[in-house]
């Protein structure tokens, strides 16, 4: 949580709202909302509060999702540093999340971070290490 707290947010609005789920009833609820729960003993449900997130004045783009993503990335790095495993889960039923955890309308769920010790036989998917050569998606003064 401290790693997430240290993450930067647009205009320092700090719109992230993180549900810490580790009780039996909460674990059962989250498992009903996604197939990708990995039977973890702990979950962070990373959300943002759209009533406080910064909106870009030029087009009213809400930066809450970006802020929540930066916060989650910092948390994932710290989780790994602690010798635990996690993965970014974006595949979930947002309406079921909203209903199960009684989220008010201004709280927007963005992602789920299951946390635990990885099984000794677990390996990343085959596509995990595949990366496009950096020259294919880096442009210098060409637009």
């Amino acid at each position: 949580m401290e790693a997430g707290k240290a993450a930067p947010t647009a205009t320092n609005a700090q719109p992230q709202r993180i549900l810490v789920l580790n009780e039996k009833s909460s674990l059962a609820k989250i498992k009903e909302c996604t197939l990708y729960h990995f039977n973890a003993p702990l979950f962070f449900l990373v959300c943002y509060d759209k009533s406080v997130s910064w909106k870009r004045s030029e087009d009213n783009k809400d930066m809450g999702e970006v802020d929540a993503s930066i916060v989650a990335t910092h948390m994932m790095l710290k989780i790994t540093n602690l010798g635990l495993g996690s993965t970014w889960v974006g595949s979930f039923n947002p309406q079921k999340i909203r209903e199960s955890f009684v989220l008010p309308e201004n709280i927007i769920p963005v992602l789920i971070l299951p946390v635990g010790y990885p099984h000794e036989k677990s390996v990343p998917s085959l596509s995990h290490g595949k990366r496009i050569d950096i020259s294919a998606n880096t442009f210098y003064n060409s637009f």
Side-chain angles (χ1 to χ4, degrees), residues 80-100:
T80 301
N81 186 259
L82 292 171
L84 296 166
S86 187
T87 190
W88 185 293
V89 176
S91 179
F92 58 86
N93 182 325
Q95 189 56 38
K96 194 161 192 142
I97 290 271
R98 185 168 292 293
E99 292 167 3
S100 296

Side-chain angles (χ1 to χ4, degrees), residues 67-89:
D67 291 339
S69 298
I70 294 168
V71 166
T73 300
H74 277 63
M75 292 174 70
M76 287 182 76
L77 291 169
K78 183 61 176 182
I79 289 165
T80 301
N81 186 259
L82 292 171
L84 296 166
S86 187
T87 190
W88 185 293
V89 176

Side-chain angles (χ1 to χ4, degrees), residues 84-143:
L84 296 166
S86 187
T87 190
W88 185 293
V89 176
S91 179
F92 58 86
N93 182 325
Q95 189 56 38
K96 194 161 192 142
I97 290 271
R98 185 168 292 293
E99 292 167 3
S100 296
F101 297 100
V102 195
L103 299 180
E105 192 171 314
N106 58 305
I107 303 298
I108 310 301
V110 177
L111 63 113
I112 300 167
L113 293 179
V115 180
Y117 291 101
H119 189 277
E120 62 271 359
K121 293 182 180 179
S122 68
V123 294
S125 75
L126 294 175
S127 64
H128 183 76
K130 294 180 182 177
R131 296 290 182 254
I132 297 171
D133 186 278
I134 198 163
S135 64
N137 57 16
T138 305
F139 306 92
Y140 296 95
N141 305 308
S142 56
F143 286 104

Side-chain angles (χ1 to χ4, degrees), residues 5-111:
K5 179 181 168 187
T9 60
T11 70
N12 200 29
Q14 301 175 46
Q16 70 271 17
R17 303 295 182 261
I18 302 167
L19 282 71
V20 179
L21 310 173
N22 62 352
E23 293 182 1
K24 192 173 186 176
S25 61
S26 295
L27 297 176
K29 287 180 189 178
I30 199 74
K31 289 176 182 180
E32 291 178 7
C33 298
T34 182
L35 296 174
Y36 304 100
H37 52 77
F38 308 100
N39 292 310
L42 169 67
F43 293 83
F44 295 115
L45 174 56
V46 182
C47 307
Y48 74 93
D49 183 341
K50 70 179 181 180
S51 69
V52 299
S53 57
W54 182 72
K55 283 73 171 173
R56 187 168 49 205
S57 60
E58 291 80 6
D59 61 358
N60 207 35
K61 166 72 174 161
D62 190 331
M63 292 295 163
E65 190 166 328
V66 173
D67 291 339
S69 298
I70 294 168
V71 166
T73 300
H74 277 63
M75 292 174 70
M76 287 182 76
L77 291 169
K78 183 61 176 182
I79 289 165
T80 301
N81 186 259
L82 292 171
L84 296 166
S86 187
T87 190
W88 185 293
V89 176
S91 179
F92 58 86
N93 182 325
Q95 189 56 38
K96 194 161 192 142
I97 290 271
R98 185 168 292 293
E99 292 167 3
S100 296
F101 297 100
V102 195
L103 299 180
E105 192 171 314
N106 58 305
I107 303 298
I108 310 301
V110 177
L111 63 113

